[in-house]
Amino acid sequence: PWDAFMPTPRQVDRARLRDLEALLTAAAAAEVRIVPVLFVQSLGDTVKLPNFAIDREARRSGVRVVRDGIVEMGGPRDIYADPLMLEAGVLLLETLLSGFAGHPSVAAWDLGHDPATTLRPRHIADMTAWATEMAGRVRRSGDEVRLTLGAGDVLTARGMRPGEFAGIVDRLDIAVMPQRLRFGQGWPDAGDTIFLARLFQALAGDVDTGLHVCVATGEGTGTAASPRDPGLARARDAATYAAALHEATSQMGNVALGTVASHCLRGRAIDAPPCDTWQSLASTGILSASNDQTDWGAAWATIAINESAVMPNRSPFPKNLDAAQYYDNIPDATRDLFSEWRSGRSDDPGIVV
C-alpha cells in the first residue's frame, strides 16, 4: 500500500523497492506474473494512505484512513487534482517503472482497486485527466495498464463512469462482493453478478473487461449477515455460485475471472482495520491461514482446473446503452434493466434461474 512505499512525498522507500524486487524474483522462479496495484486500494471502508495524503479537516462519513495500521483522524486528500498528490503520484509511478518496467513477472500495472469507495473524484474530468496522465506514463514504458473499479461505480453515480476509461487503459476490471448485491432474492445467485458484469461491459464500451469476485466462506469469525458486512456463505452455495459464474463468464467475453484474496486472515489482523468492522473480509481467501483450502477455495480450484477459453465476442447488456441517461436515472434504471434482463432470457447461458 501507498503508506508503506512512500511515507514522504519526496522519496519512495528503498527497502520497499528491494522487497518488491525480491517478490518479483520469486514470482519469476515460480512462473507467476504479478499485477502491482498503485495508489488507492479500498478494502471495506478503509484506505491506506501516507501521512501527507491525509486531510485532517476532511473526515468523510463511512471512510476510514489507515496509516501504519492505525486509523487516522481526517479523510483522504484529492489525489486526482491536488498538486502535491499529483507530484507524489508521478514520483511513485516513475520510480516503480524505472526499476521494474518490462520485468518478466510484471503482467500489468493497476491504477487502483475500487478507488471511489473511499476516494471518489469531485469531478469526472479530474479522474479522466489523472488516469490519462498516469496510464500514459505506463504505456510509454511499454507495459500494460489496468484499472479495477467497484460495483458501486456501476450501481451509483460517484464519478467513475467506466466508459470514460476506454482508450486510456488496456483493461478495465470490476471487483464484486456478491453477498452485497441485492437484485434478486436469496444468496447466492450468480445471475446477479453476471447481470452486473454485462451491464459493466455495456457501460465500458470498447475496452477489455475482467471480473474479480470476493466471497467469504466458513472461516474466521463467522459473522452474521448485516447491511454493512454481508457475513459468510455456505460451502454448497459457494460451489454453486462458482460453477455458474465460470460457465457464464467464459461465454460473455470477459478476458479474466479472478478471486480477490489468496489467504484468510487470523490473529491480530482480524482485529485490525478493515476486519474490525468488516469481519467477513478476513474469510475471503482461497486458502485458510494454515494453507488448507477454504470452501471458496475448493470451488475456485474447480474453475482453475477446468478453465474455459474466452469467446472473442463481447456480450454487453443492453447492447446500446446511453450511459448519461442511465446514470441520470439510477437506481430506477438499474432495476428496470435487471427486470428486462431477467424476463424472457432463460435460454441465455449468462443467466441462472
Side-chain angles (χ1 to χ4, degrees):
W2 203 351
D3 65 323
F5 268 79
M6 203 173 185
T8 79
R10 304 303 175 198
Q11 184 178 10
V12 181
D13 188 276
R14 296 184 183 278
R16 292 297 185 179
L17 293 173
R18 290 193 295 270
D19 290 343
L20 179 56
E21 182 178 20
L23 173 67
L24 293 176
T25 300
E31 298 183 338
V32 172
R33 304 191 74 201
I34 304 293
V35 182
V37 182
L38 306 163
F39 309 117
V40 175
Q41 306 168 39
S42 299
L43 296 172
D45 62 347
T46 67
V47 58
K48 296 182 179 181
L49 293 176
N51 188 56
F52 63 86
I54 303 171
D55 183 345
R56 304 295 172 181
E57 305 300 322
R59 190 167 186 174
R60 250 189 66 194
S61 175
V63 174
R64 295 183 296 164
V65 179
V66 177
R67 181 176 66 91
D68 294 332
I70 304 298
V71 177
E72 299 281 352
M73 296 296 293
R77 293 181 70 161
D78 187 351
I79 75 162
Y80 312 112
D82 186 297
L84 175 63
M85 299 307 299
L86 291 171
E87 182 181 345
V90 168
L91 177 59
L92 173 64
L93 181 58
E94 287 295 341
T95 301
L96 292 171
L97 292 176
S98 66
F100 305 109
H103 194 289
S105 289
V106 174
W109 300 87
D110 195 325
L111 297 181
H113 180 89
D114 189 14
T117 287
T118 54
L119 210 170
R120 66 186 62 181
R122 295 180 180 176
H123 306 285
I124 296 173
D126 290 344
M127 179 63 202
T128 53
W130 176 87
T132 299
E133 171 68 19
M134 298 303 178
R137 291 175 180 272
V138 176
R139 283 180 155 173
R140 286 193 292 273
S141 76
D143 282 359
E144 181 180 310
V145 61
R146 302 176 187 172
L147 175 62
T148 301
L149 301 183
D153 296 314
V154 173
L155 304 177
T156 61
R158 58 185 195 181
M160 290 280 198
R161 299 189 177 183
E164 297 292 330
F165 302 102
I168 296 178
V169 298
D170 297 300
R171 196 174 102 192
L172 199 61
D173 291 350
I174 184 170
V176 181
M177 195 168 190
Q179 294 102 311
R180 301 196 73 208
L181 298 179
R182 292 291 182 268
F183 302 129
Q185 301 295 320
W187 155 257
D189 186 346
D192 293 355
T193 305
I194 294 160
F195 166 73
L196 180 69
R198 295 183 66 173
L199 179 57
F200 180 62
Q201 281 188 337
L203 292 168
D206 189 21
V207 61
D208 285 340
T209 58
L211 175 66
H212 298 174
V213 291
C214 180
V215 176
T217 61
E219 290 264 336
T221 57
T223 58
S226 70
R228 189 177 182 84
D229 189 3
L232 309 180
R234 296 175 300 175
R236 182 183 63 187
D237 291 338
T240 302
Y241 173 85
L245 193 65
H246 173 239
E247 179 182 358
T249 55
S250 65
Q251 299 180 55
M252 62 178 281
N254 264 328
V255 299
L257 176 63
T259 187
V260 169
S262 62
H263 280 73
C264 294
L265 303 177
R266 65 178 177 184
R268 288 185 295 177
I270 294 178
D271 298 323
C275 297
D276 56 341
T277 57
W278 286 67
Q279 294 178 359
S280 65
L281 287 177
S283 306
T284 57
I286 57 175
L287 296 175
S288 70
S290 56
N291 283 330
D292 299 317
Q293 262 188 358
T294 62
D295 296 331
W296 174 238
W300 193 257
T302 302
I303 290 179
I305 292 170
N306 300 304
E307 183 176 2
S308 302
V310 177
M311 294 179 66
N313 297 323
R314 291 161 51 81
S315 182
F317 178 83
K319 292 187 180 298
N320 298 302
L321 179 64
D322 185 321
Q325 187 177 40
Y326 168 78
Y327 281 106
D328 284 344
N329 290 282
I330 51 177
D332 292 340
T334 311
R335 288 194 291 264
D336 291 345
L337 286 173
F338 181 77
S339 297
E340 178 186 345
W341 178 79
R342 202 68 154 156
S343 62
R345 301 183 66 90
S346 58
D347 58 339
D348 191 319
I351 188 169
V352 179
V353 293

